[in-house]
Structure formats: C-alpha cells, structure tokens
Amino acid sequence: MTIRFTSLFLLVFGFSYTIANAQLGGRASYQFLNVPVNTRIAGLGGINISQPGIDVNLMTQNPATLSDSLRNYLSINYLPYLADIRATMVNYAFNAGKTGTWGVGMRYFDYGTFSGADLAGNSTGDFKSKEYAFTVAKSHTINHFTLGASLNLAFSQIGTYNSAALLTDLGGIFKHPKKDWAIGLVIKNVGVPLKKYVQGESVDLPTDVQLGTSFKPEHMPVRLSLTAHHLHKWDIVYDDPNQKGKVDLNGNVIKEKVSFGSKMLSHFAIGAEFLMSKNFQLRAGYNFLRRKELKEESKSGGAGLSLGGMIRIKYFEFAYTRSFYYIGTGTNHFTLTTDFNRIFKKKI
C-alpha cells in the first residue's frame, strides 16, 4: 500500500509540476483560494506551508500537514475583508475508520450587491457576486516524510455568469527526527475548469509552486518561518503604468526599473511565532510582495506587516490577527478552534 501510494503521488506531482511551469503569465480566476482567511497563516505573512502544530487550518496551505492528531478538531474562521467583502472558512478533521484521518473544509466569499448598467449607462438592476469552494484532504506518512493531497471544488458567480473548477493541491513535508525543523513543498491550484463564465473564453487557474521551512532554536521560545511562492515565475512584480518617473533634461519620463533584489524578495514571506506558553502565543509576519505593490511612494503605512496572537481557554482556542495593506487600511482575522475529543471525554 505504501509503495503504491508513493508512486501515484510522485507521478501526479511530476505531472502537476509540468503544468505549473506552463502557466506563467496572465491574470487567473479563483484568486480567493489564495486569500489567507485563517488567523495563524495571516499572522505569519499570509503564506506558510511548513509550520508544525495542532492546527486543522494548515491543510488549506499544505495538505501534508494533516495528521491523526487533528482528529475531531473543528475551526471556524471569519475575515471582514477589504471593500466590505466577507469571508468565512470552516475546517474539520475526522477518523474514517481503516482509511485513517480525512480533512474537509469550506471557504465562502461574499462580495456583496452591485448596481448593474449596460454600455449606455442604463440601469439593469442589482446583482450579487460570490465565490466558494469545498475541500477534501488526505495525507500519508512514510518515516520522516508526509505526502498529502487535497481536492477543491470551486464555484464563482458574478450576476448571471457562473463558473466552476476542480483543483488539487499536492504537498510534501519533511520533519527532522531530532530537531524542531520542517521543510515543505506544495504545488497549489492545479486543475481543470468544469464550467466557464463564457463559452469559448479561456479560464486561467491560480497555480502556484511554494517552498518553505520552519525552525525553532533549541533554547529559544520562538519558531521562525521562511516561505517562497510563485517559484514557477521569476518576475511577479506588478508594473504600474501610472507610476511617476523621473524627467530627464529632454522632458522624457524615465521609470525606475525593478531591481534584481526586489524581484527576488517579492517571492518571500517571513513569519515568527513567539511561544510564550502552551496557552498563549504571539505572531508576526511580513509579506514582501504585498509591501512592494501596496506601499505609497513617500511612505509604506505598514504595508506587508501582520501582527496577531492566540489564547487557549479550556476547550477553546481564540486567535486574532491584524494585517496591514496600505495607509489607514487593514484586515482583521478571527479564528475559533475546538477539540471535540476533550469535550466529549470530559462529559463522559
């Protein structure tokens, strides 16, 4: 069984890597799948695929983080996002008998109500927009390696236009046998569109290749993380056509070119988790790409930074994160997690 599972995983992993490298440019649909709804992920820079710990939400970042220790854990996440967008995510892990532990989840984004109009500006009435996805995840451990896969059935609705897609995340994680050190690799959102908004029009999926590591020094109450994303594409910095440039002696506008260092740093997100105690933690993260794209020319306003914390009271874990996007604007992330094993055991 182990050999068959590993061979199948490596075959699909290699095929998915080929697809990921083929999709290098253009805007993609279903970008809501990459929004960090979970408090912990948001607090660590918005992307993290190697962070250990008892957290069922991590399977949405890397399905290989799903383990037997997460059975009967339920987590509810709420994000009042930018522009009055509301996002909710629920994840749960359960024991399915001989097949082991499975993870299931749901993500829902409500974009609100919009006023429609035709090309002449005449009102066509109000319409709503929403996107949601259902997730099923499974993992398998071989010595110090864990391989995982998840299927995401995603739907998008913009007024009368609808689309659907089937996507998969394939991930692996290595945990050092003696040190508190882990390395993760994930290929995300590889799949096929099941229904297009408009027949005949192409639909690009938000494929991403990520590599990350998390390490806790032996005598320090902090765990550090470094995650690289969009490894299948080098230049991911947005070229703003409205950006002001310098004017030379002839009156020509010369825009500043993006340096090699800026292009490289835009692929990284860093995070730190301060382990104050078993029931209390603080988190901080920094996303270089977010800062690069959202900071103003004169000042950044904390763009790219995120701060948060977690407190555990009896059977419940409460977490909060504040993510900064641009001056005067940020998002608040809320998470409530509970372990039904402890609740049922206490009642018995």
Side-chain angles (χ1 to χ4, degrees):
M1 176 64 72
T2 299
I3 297 177
R4 291 180 180 178
F5 183 92
T6 307
S7 300
L8 177 61
F9 183 91
L10 293 177
L11 177 63
V12 177
F13 200 100
F15 176 70
S16 301
Y17 184 78
T18 303
I19 296 177
N21 276 276
Q23 298 176 343
L24 297 179
R27 296 181 179 179
S29 302
Y30 307 104
Q31 287 287 357
F32 77 100
L33 295 172
N34 294 326
V35 176
V37 180
N38 173 246
T39 300
R40 188 180 189 190
I41 297 303
L44 295 174
I47 304 174
N48 194 295
I49 61 172
S50 58
Q51 193 79 353
I54 308 300
D55 192 342
V56 68
N57 297 292
L58 296 178
M59 72 176 185
T60 61
Q61 293 284 305
N62 185 352
T65 59
L66 185 66
S67 64
D68 292 339
S69 58
L70 291 171
R71 292 177 179 177
N72 293 324
Y73 270 81
L74 173 69
S75 185
I76 303 173
N77 305 268
Y78 177 66
L79 168 62
Y81 202 42
L82 304 171
D84 293 330
I85 298 172
R86 298 290 183 265
T88 304
M89 182 172 71
V90 180
N91 294 307
Y92 178 67
F94 65 95
N95 181 19
K98 295 182 179 180
T99 60
T101 302
W102 288 76
V104 293
M106 184 274 294
R107 275 170 279 188
Y108 179 80
F109 277 68
D110 185 356
Y111 298 99
T113 303
F114 300 85
S115 299
D118 58 19
L119 295 177
N122 301 313
S123 176
T124 58
D126 295 339
F127 66 93
K128 293 186 177 181
S129 178
K130 58 185 177 182
E131 292 181 305
Y132 52 96
F134 301 97
T135 301
V136 178
K138 186 73 176 72
S139 66
H140 184 75
T141 300
I142 308 171
N143 295 326
H144 306 301
F145 294 88
T146 301
L147 307 176
S150 65
L151 286 177
N152 301 287
L153 184 58
F155 300 90
S156 179
Q157 176 185 344
I158 305 175
T160 59
Y161 296 91
N162 298 274
S163 69
L166 183 64
L167 308 97
T168 181
D169 295 346
L170 301 171
I173 191 168
F174 165 78
K175 295 182 180 179
H176 196 278
K178 296 181 179 180
K179 299 180 180 180
D180 193 342
W181 177 37
I183 301 175
L185 173 65
V186 179
I187 297 178
K188 298 178 67 68
N189 302 323
V190 176
V192 293
L194 302 178
K195 181 182 179 182
K196 301 179 180 180
Y197 293 107
V198 180
Q199 293 301 321
E201 295 291 335
S202 63
V203 176
D204 293 326
L205 303 178
T207 303
D208 194 2
V209 180
Q210 302 173 355
L211 177 66
T213 183
S214 297
F215 175 71
K216 179 187 178 302
E218 186 175 358
H219 301 293
M220 294 180 62
V222 60
R223 181 177 289 110
L224 305 174
S225 297
L226 176 66
T227 307
H229 56 92
H230 292 90
L231 295 180
H232 59 293
K233 182 180 180 181
W234 166 243
D235 189 0
I236 60 174
V237 178
Y238 174 66
D239 185 12
D240 187 0
N242 297 319
Q243 183 181 14
K244 297 179 180 179
K246 297 181 179 179
V247 180
D248 61 16
L249 297 177
N250 297 322
N252 300 317
V253 178
I254 302 176
K255 288 189 176 182
E256 181 181 357
K257 294 183 178 180
V258 180
S259 65
F260 175 87
S262 295
K263 291 182 179 180
M264 182 181 67
L265 287 176
S266 296
H267 286 271
F268 289 95
I270 58 176
E273 198 166 48
F274 302 92
L275 313 176
M276 314 303 291
S277 70
K278 182 180 179 180
N279 299 318
F280 179 61
Q281 297 177 0
L282 295 175
R283 296 158 184 161
Y286 192 81
N287 190 302
F288 288 91
L289 180 61
R290 185 187 303 167
R291 176 182 176 83
K292 179 67 178 178
E293 292 186 341
L294 297 180
K295 71 173 183 177
E296 293 189 1
E297 294 186 6
S298 58
K299 48 188 175 181
S300 64
L305 180 66
S306 56
L307 301 171
M310 178 277 292
I311 184 170
R312 187 178 292 113
I313 303 175
K314 290 189 176 181
Y315 321 118
F316 298 96
E317 180 181 298
F318 304 90
Y320 169 79
T321 289
R322 175 72 174 179
S323 298
F324 300 92
Y325 283 80
Y326 51 91
I327 297 178
T329 302
T331 57
N332 300 304
H333 305 251
F334 305 90
T335 297
L336 172 63
T337 303
T338 186
D339 178 9
F340 284 128
N341 296 300
R342 295 185 59 192
I343 295 177
F344 294 152
K345 182 178 180 180
K346 185 67 176 180
K347 288 184 177 180
I348 294 175

